[in-house]
Amino acid sequence: TFLKGLEDTPPVSIRLNPFKLAENTHKVNPQLHPQPIPWCKEGYWLDTRPNFTFDPLLHAGVYYVQEASSMFLSHALQYYVKQPVIALDLCAAPGGKTTCARASLPAGSILFSNEPIGKRAQILAENVQKYGHQDVIVTSNYPREYQKSKLAFDVIIADVPCSGEGMFRKDAGAIDDWSVKKVEECARLQREIVRDIWPCLKPGGVLIYSTCTFNAHENEENVAWIAKELGADFIEIPTEKAWNITGSLVDEHPVYRFIPGQTRGEGLFMAVLRKHGEAEVMSEEKRLKEIKTINEKDLKRLHVLSHGPLPDTIKGKQAIPDQSKALSVAADLENYPHVSVDLQQAIAYLRTEAITLTPDAPRGIVLLVYRGFPLGFAKNLGNRANNLYPQAWKIKSSHIPNDNNIVIE
């Protein structure tokens, strides 16, 4: 079953952004035959793969392209996290699990989203800014640096680097790159990462450990080691039989395997552990106060890339608003004239090309809007508009697609 599954075409799935899509105001294009993903209320399988790159609403953060198995994080968090928390997504790039977690955590929670590798951290920051939620702090630090920060977390998500067996059917290079030696190296690294971050997890706190690989060395054996050596208990996640999730391959611990051919998704392993010790009991009011007191002193010990909308850049006498402000659900955008653009103008803008707006468009800094969703800023000079979209984010392809890329109606 597994080998046959590896030969199948990977399923396509998206997850809607509930902070930008008010309930029942939009729906997934019926022509894509969307089917709800049962373990994530914002998730949908699609029967075909649109050319997502050329849908401006993807760039506006209205939805995120994420494989369905990874969305199981939503189910785990919503089952165990009922009060606002301080959470950390430790190995977060490119941002799928962070944005999934942000939608699943109770209101008032704060989420640290971390990626130690510089280039990957920049991609993470881009995707988090597009998602637009103000209570996500993007950092680029190693676990030991988090230790020094003295921050303490109620929940830590550790989607640790792995040998990538779950990528076999998507990427032939993943097969060429695989070896028994790599599995052994990854298993050691994973233990080191969890050991280094363990002091930052509060007593009674929850660790969600996951990989996108299949072997038991990086999965069952590692979580058993965490439980025994670091001190934790396995906790069970309720599931439905129809989801076809596989349990442990080597012991009786409650773990969750998504296996191609068996489950509709890519390879994923997940286990949830509760750290030994009594969790501090506090009212929601006290908990929210604790979250608000994460101050600049704590953050100064970390390399923070973004935390909500970034400040304006001053050029001469003019303040140029940062792109993150256009995409934030918390930013006040009423001071900027809104100018609607069509699909061709939107794609040109996302390619960082100069665009021409209608003659009645106001001069100066304007906010470009596509189908009601902010895309970014431009400086309208009249005969043309200077493009203020970040160069690092631009669509690099010069291809002009003819197919229908409407994902959200």
Side-chain angles (χ1 to χ4, degrees), residues 13-16 37 39-45 64-76 96-97 100 104 258 268 270:
S13 49
I14 62 169
R15 183 171 37 76
L16 307 184
I37 295 169
W39 49 82
C40 178
K41 67 179 181 180
E42 291 86 19
Y44 292 88
W45 284 294
Y64 192 97
V65 182
Q66 184 180 26
E67 73 89 14
S69 302
S70 294
M71 299 183 203
F72 189 63
L73 174 65
S74 172
H75 180 66
K97 286 190 174 66
C100 182
S104 307
F258 290 69
L268 176 86
M270 186 177 287

Side-chain angles (χ1 to χ4, degrees), residues 30-346:
Q31 293 181 16
L32 300 173
H33 301 103
Q35 290 180 280
I37 295 169
W39 49 82
C40 178
K41 67 179 181 180
E42 291 86 19
Y44 292 88
W45 284 294
L46 310 179
D47 72 343
T48 56
R49 187 177 187 87
N51 199 330
F52 291 116
T53 300
F54 296 96
D55 179 7
L57 295 189
L58 174 72
H59 302 271
V62 175
Y63 65 93
Y64 192 97
V65 182
Q66 184 180 26
E67 73 89 14
S69 302
S70 294
M71 299 183 203
F72 189 63
L73 174 65
S74 172
H75 180 66
L77 285 171
Q78 290 189 332
Y79 189 76
Y80 279 108
V81 183
K82 304 297 187 185
Q83 284 189 302
V85 292
I86 305 169
L88 168 63
D89 186 359
L90 183 61
C91 314
K97 286 190 174 66
T98 282
T99 51
C100 182
R102 185 61 268 184
S104 307
L105 291 169
S109 299
I110 193 158
L111 175 61
F112 285 72
S113 178
N114 179 68
E115 172 55 52
I117 309 301
K119 283 187 178 179
R120 288 171 55 81
Q122 293 298 331
I123 295 167
L124 172 64
E126 174 186 338
N127 285 326
V128 167
Q129 287 170 40
K130 287 177 177 176
Y131 194 71
H133 196 287
Q134 67 278 15
D135 290 330
V136 183
I137 301 171
V138 180
T139 63
S140 183
N141 291 90
Y142 285 93
R144 286 186 182 182
E145 294 169 322
Y146 259 93
Q147 265 196 49
K148 292 175 184 175
S149 76
K150 304 297 183 187
L151 284 164
F153 297 95
D154 304 290
V155 177
I156 294 179
I157 301 158
D159 186 47
V160 289
C162 67
S163 58
E165 294 158 1
M167 297 296 290
F168 280 2
R169 71 174 171 183
K170 277 188 172 181
D171 180 7
I175 297 174
D176 297 335
D177 194 40
W178 186 92
S179 69
V180 172
K181 184 181 178 186
K182 184 175 181 181
V183 168
E184 292 167 351
E185 289 171 351
C186 286
R188 283 196 298 271
L189 174 62
Q190 291 151 359
R191 292 185 184 194
E192 183 181 311
I193 288 169
V194 176
R195 186 173 58 238
D196 285 349
I197 204 63
W198 197 249
C200 298
L201 185 62
K202 294 178 183 178
V206 170
L207 173 76
I208 299 177
Y209 177 98
S210 62
T211 75
C212 63
T213 208
F214 300 120
N215 70 79
H217 304 304
E218 298 176 67
N219 294 324
E220 284 93 340
E221 291 177 17
N222 265 359
V223 291
W225 176 88
I226 293 167
K228 183 181 177 183
E229 297 298 326
L230 301 182
D233 296 314
F234 285 85
I235 51 181
E236 200 164 343
I237 309 170
T239 61
E240 300 288 336
K241 189 176 180 182
W243 300 356
N244 293 322
I245 298 171
T246 304
S248 175
L249 303 182
V250 299
D251 55 35
E252 299 302 316
H253 292 138
V255 300
Y256 306 88
R257 283 178 166 277
F258 290 69
I259 298 177
Q262 184 77 6
T263 321
R264 193 176 177 187
E266 290 304 295
L268 176 86
F269 172 92
M270 186 177 287
V272 185
L273 301 110
R274 192 182 298 281
K275 186 175 181 177
H276 287 167
E278 287 296 317
E280 185 181 354
V281 178
M282 60 176 81
S283 66
E284 186 160 322
E285 184 182 359
K286 186 179 178 184
R287 191 174 286 268
L288 287 169
K289 187 177 179 182
E290 180 196 21
I291 291 168
K292 285 178 182 174
T293 56
I294 293 176
N295 55 35
E296 292 303 315
K297 184 180 175 184
D298 296 314
L299 298 183
K300 278 179 181 172
R301 294 171 178 156
L302 299 170
H303 180 206
V304 176
L305 300 182
S306 71
H307 180 196
L310 295 169
D312 296 352
T313 301
I314 306 300
K315 290 190 176 178
K317 294 183 178 179
Q318 187 162 41
I320 306 296
D322 191 83
Q323 173 66 17
S324 57
K325 184 184 283 188
L327 299 172
S328 171
V329 297
D332 181 5
L333 299 174
E334 293 306 311
N335 294 333
Y336 304 99
H338 291 38
V339 178
S340 292
V341 293
D342 61 23
L343 177 61
Q344 284 70 32
Q345 288 172 308

